[in-house]
Amino acid sequence: RSGTAVVLLGGVKIMLGLLFGSSLLHLLKSFPSTALGAMLVVSGTELAVACRNERSHKGTFLMLITAGAGMAFSNTALGFTAGMGGAAVMEVS
C-alpha cells in the first residue's frame, strides 16, 4: 500500500495526454455534456468521501485552501499550487 499504483496511473494519463492530446480532445467533444457532468458528480462524491475521513486540522485546512483557491481562480493548477505552498509553509513552521 505504497501508492505506486496511483503514481503509475497518473504517469500513464500524462503520457496519453501528451501523445494523443488533440485527438482525445475531439473524442471528448463527441460525448454529451450531460454524461460528462454525471461523471464529474460521481468523481466529486468520491473525493468528498475521502475528505470526510480526514481527521487532522492540518489536513482539513490544506483541503480547504486547495479547493478554495481552485474555485476562486477557476484554475486547478492554481489550486494545486496554493495547496502545495500551504503544505510547504506548514512543514517549515
Side-chain angles (χ1 to χ4, degrees):
R1 309 216 181 238
S2 63
T4 306
V6 176
V7 172
L8 289 175
L9 180 62
V12 168
K13 287 181 178 182
I14 288 172
M15 291 304 297
L16 284 174
L18 291 174
L19 295 173
F20 304 109
S22 59
S23 59
L24 288 177
L25 182 61
H26 294 297
L27 178 67
L28 281 177
K29 285 183 179 180
S30 67
F31 278 97
S33 60
T34 53
L36 293 176
M39 287 190 282
L40 184 62
V41 166
V42 170
S43 65
T45 304
E46 288 294 321
L47 286 172
V49 168
C51 293
R52 184 181 65 185
N53 296 333
E54 182 62 48
R55 299 289 182 225
S56 72
H57 292 294
K58 178 181 173 183
T60 303
F61 182 70
L62 286 175
M63 284 188 285
L64 289 173
I65 291 293
T66 304
M71 291 189 325
F73 297 114
S74 297
N75 188 333
T76 55
L78 287 176
F80 173 78
T81 304
M84 290 300 288
V89 168
M90 286 182 170
E91 192 68 33
V92 170
S93 60

